[in-house]
Amino acid sequence: MKKLLNYLHKRNQKISISQIIFLTAFVLFITCNPIFAQTCKLSLKEAVLGKTSTLAPNTLHQLRWRPGSNRMYSYVKDNILIGETMKSRKQINLLSLDKLKELPALSNLQVLPMMNWASPNEVCFSANHTYWIYNVITNQIALEIKYPEEAASFDYSDQAKALAYTKKNNLFIAKSGKVLQLSKEPNNAILYGSSVHREEFGITKGTFWSPQGNLLAFYRMDETMVKDYPLVNYMAPEAEVKLIKYPMAGDRSHQVKVGVYDLKTHATIYLKTGEPDDHYLTNLSWTPDEKNIILLELNREQNHLKMNLYNAHTGDFIRTILEEKSKTYVEPLHPLLFSKTESGTFFYQSRKDGYNHIYKCSIDGSFMKQLTHGNWEVTNLLGLDSKEQYMYLESTQESPLERHIYRFDLKNGQSVRLTNGEGIHNGLLSPNKDALLDKFQGPAIPNRITLIDTRNKKECMILNAENPLKDYLLGETRLVTIKSADGKTDLYAKMILPPNFDPKKKYPVIVYVYGGPHSQLVDKSWLYNGMFWQYYMADRGYIAFTLDNRGTSFRGSDFENVIHRQLGINETADQMQGVEYLKSLPYVDSTRIGVHGWSFGGFMTLNLMLRHSETFKVGVAGGPVVDWKMYEIMYGERYMDMPQENPEGYKESNMILKVDNLKGKLLLLHGMQDETVVMQQNIRFMQECIKKGKLVDFFPYPTHEHNVKGIDRVHLMDLVSHYFEEHL
């Protein structure tokens, strides 16, 4: 626009106001018109919220396989539940929002609820304090179960036609118009039917229906021995204290039992899991005959696992099926999958050989056979065919950066890859296992859903989403491989360059870091798993950089366990290998390197700022752990052991003791209602900064928990962005 005006000025052309308005409108039209080159720029709001809203790739919402042999999958579009046949691709409208609203009790619905199939002809959903079963053939309600407004943790059994739920700390079952109260505990520190152990070990719920729905197993968690921890709600007219239970490393832990309720006799028994009381009861599995329950039990030290079998009717311990021990830790994450063709046989996932693989075991403990092998990990077990000739699974067999789906022959051990295309494939296996819905992302592919015949690998694409960023000017993303600090292992990183990158210029760098267990920030999903905010900052002239150090996931136990008893040491050393790579690039301004991360990433931000203060000019640490003695038991003790067992490790990882090293600008952030990393961590760190005369900046978010979500996150990232722009 400026060049055009200058040209007209040189030609002595007079420009009227109307011409200026026309030219401005024309330039704006060109700037964001898809006919022209990518010229739109991400706004901050789009960069923060767009990936899951306005700029989310098109998809098939609520994609499910319909049970039975009709080979139909379903999804929701325009508030209609649509069924699509696998062979002809014929679409059938199964249920609409308008149809549901004809029922007086559902007339206020604004969108079609989240639905699951309860049977071949029935869907189940929750709405208006009622659990509904709706027959899509007769267009009638087959069952409705009412529950109180404060109910939570719903668990429905189609076999029992009953709904288990919690209300405050007690457990209930609604069935046949009656409500059964399984517990009447007045003490709020004793909870029934809720998830336990702070949802570590793959635990996501607290109730478990038996296969035929005759029995309900549940957790009972006693937290009376755990100290109360105060959180303050400053939004009340007068500030209110909310007390939570937060067991810190080395302190007393809660105690858990497993109860079993019989719907016929109304009797409750408890499994005799014995002592010590503070061990972990994880991954509960019913045997197919409902006679027994198998628990994966872990000692508090988390280095000795026992797979124990119990009588579900008496609670008696029967035997230990198998054991696992480790010099570091054992982390059970998956329940068992029982064979339907071989009685007393099940499939078990373990890192016994250093990578997550699948084992075939007997319930009497007589054999344990490893099925999958290799220096790669099974990431998801999808299921087995009816004859159990084949097992279907997702794994990292091609690369730690990819996920593909395989058909594994249980007899000869050979596997066939069913998916094509470099990237991340996630599968939904049909009920009779002859078809697969493959949800696929690649570096340049936002979302593609393909129907695959598992017998002959024939494919049929059912969705190929358009790139929602096709009109936006984004910087180039480069995948980088760097050696770890010990010089032995390849580490993967991504680097986002500014749009219109000029290799002759010098650019500042913002390193975004997490670096902890159960994470992977670099893979071959869309945009290499890049954050939109990183592209937003690249557009402002920064190079955005992220590296997955040793300690992160999907690379085997040796890769992860290197962090044991010394959190922050090897992770930081690996991150510095990435920084040294950046410094070697002629277009990187090594005097302007910043770092940002949240939670474990906040801890890593402090490690980098305080261990390498000469390198990092600016840091933004959100919700950081500063002293692992103040973190909760289950996660903290897995990686650090107890403080009394590892005093030197806790001392070396304590960021408070390294405040003297701070040189650059540091912004600390925290949600004041954080129940994961309590704000005491940040407060203690700031007090030490005061003592040492170190100037830091701090911004609390009064109503938020461990992370800042919703529209307030735009404020958070605006603050972070401005901090880098002001100081870096």
Side-chain angles (χ1 to χ4, degrees), residues 584-611:
S584 72
L585 301 175
Y587 46 81
V588 165
D589 185 345
S590 62
T591 67
R592 292 190 293 159
I593 299 178
V595 58
H596 170 45
W598 200 282
S599 192
F600 200 101
F603 168 66
M604 285 298 298
T605 297
L606 294 180
N607 271 276
L608 291 164
M609 290 288 293
L610 301 178
R611 295 184 191 276

Side-chain angles (χ1 to χ4, degrees), residues 380-427:
N380 192 15
L381 174 55
L382 298 176
L384 298 94
D385 69 334
S386 59
K387 295 181 181 179
E388 295 190 3
Q389 180 181 355
Y390 298 114
M391 175 181 287
Y392 298 90
L393 53 88
E394 298 167 8
S395 80
T396 63
Q397 192 168 344
E398 303 299 321
S399 163
L401 301 177
E402 298 187 55
R403 306 288 182 274
H404 282 275
I405 303 170
Y406 297 83
R407 185 185 69 211
F408 179 83
D409 193 315
L410 289 168
K411 292 183 180 179
N412 61 29
Q414 295 181 353
S415 62
V416 175
R417 198 177 87 183
L418 299 175
T419 49
N420 295 303
E422 181 183 69
I424 304 294
H425 297 263
N426 298 122

Side-chain angles (χ1 to χ4, degrees), residues 74-91:
S74 65
Y75 54 90
V76 171
K77 183 178 181 180
D78 299 328
N79 280 315
I80 299 173
L81 179 66
I82 298 171
E84 194 166 298
T85 56
M86 177 178 156
K87 189 173 183 180
S88 66
R89 301 285 312 281
K90 180 181 178 181
Q91 296 180 355

